[in-house]
């Protein structure tokens, strides 16, 4: 049996107790529609530490390999596949929550559905590519209903984070005027590095005060923060504008209950329905679709044109996954946390 290095979640709880590095974990067996990828890099997304810590009260089959983003080389592809051995690819597998140790990306090999894969743009490193799929696809799909964004006013909450940072850059690439919320230390980062037109420092007072006083109205709002941000944002939506939520529960929430999740989903479903019936603002709850055609191919093009950059806040090795989770869990990652798996 072929084996690999992999970080495996053996139980829920603090990273140091839950995540264990194995050096002889079985290489995943790809299904007929899947490509086996030899992984060079992955990244830590907020969902990873939320699943591991028990923040989300969802049942998980353990042992479990976490992670959904990967960049690496095609090791094996199905017959007739558009990918061939040795291709440089990146993907969001979309499978991390689905089944035991299959589909996770914290290991040297990953089995991913072929339709999730995208060829990496030329000149991009594995580490940079691996940081894009989940956060980038989410940002794309959050903005998508309001596209094309040329000349529109867009508000992105949490612009210094993974999803927020990509949302700013996608909106700017399409010619929108972008306002974003962040803390004081990130004002320069979101405006100078990511290109936002305006940054609102949420630590200086209620973030909505300035746009409300100026009578600002937004054609698209991407809410990566949640909680009280939602109601205040909806009041700033322009007629016909789109509000997209990622289902985040607000900055101060440390854990959600099953009832809390059900309430969140029911509230979102209700608002979506009202929006569709024209009885409320247009509302989208982003449930990530991981097929490359749902945004990753478009993001690859933006990367090739130099219009989408990745800021790697910190980079850890696979062996340092515990430290990577502990850092991400603090909730103030600037850009992304990258993980190197092996040099390819
Ligand atoms: N629905 C979906 O399919 C989906 C997909 C991906 C992610 N998500 C969820 O979306 C959320 C964002 O994901 P992410 O990957 O972007 O997370 P992230 O990278 O960990 O976000 C961290 C960022 O949030 C910012 N932030 C924290 N508190 C804030 C506040 N009160 N106001 C404005 N910004 C604030 C921080 O900026 P400062 O340091 O400046 O505070 C930091 O840069 C998470 O809750 C994640 O679970 C959902």
């Amino acid at each position: 049996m072929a084996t690999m290095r992999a970080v495996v979640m053996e139980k829920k709880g603090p990273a140091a107790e839950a995540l264990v590095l194995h050096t002889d974990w079985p290489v995943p067996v790809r299904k007929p529609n899947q490509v086996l990828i030899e992984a060079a890099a992955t990244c830590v997304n907020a969902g990873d530490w939320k699943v591991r810590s028990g923040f989300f009260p969802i049942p998980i089959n353990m042992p479990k390999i976490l992670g959904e983003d990967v960049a690496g080389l095609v090791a094996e592809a199905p017959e007739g596949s558009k990918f061939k051995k040795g291709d440089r690819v990146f993907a969001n597998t979309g499978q991390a929550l689905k089944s035991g140790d299959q589909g996770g990306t914290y290991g040297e090999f990953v089995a991913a559905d072929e339709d999730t894969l995208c060829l990496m743009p030329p000149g991009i490193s594995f580490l940079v590519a691996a940081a894009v799929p989940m956060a980038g696809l989410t940002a794309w799909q959050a903005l998508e209903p309001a596209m094309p964004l040329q000349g529109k006013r867009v508000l992105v909450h949490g612009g210094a984070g993974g999803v927020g940072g990509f949302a700013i850059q996608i909106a700017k690439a399409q010619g929108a005027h972008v306002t974003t919320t962040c803390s004081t230390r990130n004002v320069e980062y979101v405006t100078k590095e990511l290109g936002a037109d305006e940054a609102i420092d949420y630590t200086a007072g209620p973030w909505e005060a300035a746009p409300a006083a100026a009578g600002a109205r937004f054609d698209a709002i991407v809410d990566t923060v949640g909680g009280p941000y939602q109601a205040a944002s909806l009041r700033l939506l322009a007629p016909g504008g789109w509000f997209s939520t990622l289902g985040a529960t607000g900055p101060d929430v440390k854990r959600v209950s099953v009832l809390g999740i059900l309430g969140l989903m029911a509230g979102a479903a209700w608002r979506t329905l009202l929006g569709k019936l024209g009885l409320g603002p247009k509302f989208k709850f982003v449930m990530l679709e991981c097929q490359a055609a749902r945004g990753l191919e478009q993001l690859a093009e933006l990367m090739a044109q130099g219009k989408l950059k990745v800021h790697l806040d910190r980079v850890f090795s696979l062996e340092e996954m515990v430290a990577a989770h502990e850092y991400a869990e603090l909730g103030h990652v600037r850009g992304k946390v990258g993980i190197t798996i092996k040099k390819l």
Side-chain angles (χ1 to χ4, degrees), residues 5 12 21 29-30 40 42 54 78 98 132 141 146 169-170 177 185 191 193 211 236 261 293 316 335:
R5 282 156 58 239
K12 287 188 181 182
L21 177 75
V29 179
R30 80 173 172 85
T42 181
K98 290 192 184 150
V132 173
Q141 290 170 25
Q169 296 182 79
I170 293 165
H177 180 281
R185 73 180 184 104
T191 50
E193 210 169 308
L236 295 174
I261 289 207
F316 298 86

Side-chain angles (χ1 to χ4, degrees), residues 45-47 49-50 56 134-135 138 157-164 181-186 202 224-225 229 245-249 251 285-288 328 331-336:
N45 283 294
W49 66 257
K50 288 182 177 178
F56 287 141
M134 175 178 270
T138 305
H157 288 307
V163 179
T181 52
C182 64
S183 64
T184 317
R185 73 180 184 104
N186 282 319
Y202 70 83
T224 74
V225 178
Y229 277 52
T245 176
L246 310 189
T249 46
F285 186 130
V286 180
M287 301 283 276
L288 186 61
H332 293 284
V333 173
R334 177 186 283 174
K336 297 287 303 176

Side-chain angles (χ1 to χ4, degrees), residues 4-50:
M4 64 176 186
R5 282 156 58 239
V7 170
V8 179
M9 179 171 79
E10 301 199 338
K11 59 178 180 181
K12 287 188 181 182
E17 292 169 26
L19 300 176
V20 179
L21 177 75
H22 288 260
T23 52
D24 56 355
W25 199 259
V27 166
V29 179
R30 80 173 172 85
K31 298 189 187 112
N33 66 327
Q34 289 187 322
V35 171
L36 187 68
I37 302 166
E38 185 169 14
T42 181
C43 71
V44 176
N45 283 294
D48 300 355
W49 66 257
K50 288 182 177 178

Side-chain angles (χ1 to χ4, degrees), residues 83 113 115 144 160 181 198 215 238 251 256 271 303-304 314 317 332:
F83 298 101
D113 292 354
D115 64 358
E144 198 173 29
T181 52
E198 289 172 285
V256 281
R271 284 211 169 265
M303 290 165 87
R314 298 214 181 162
S317 66
H332 293 284

Side-chain angles (χ1 to χ4, degrees), residues 166-177:
F166 290 128
I168 292 172
Q169 296 182 79
I170 293 165
K172 284 309 297 176
Q174 291 195 10
H177 180 281

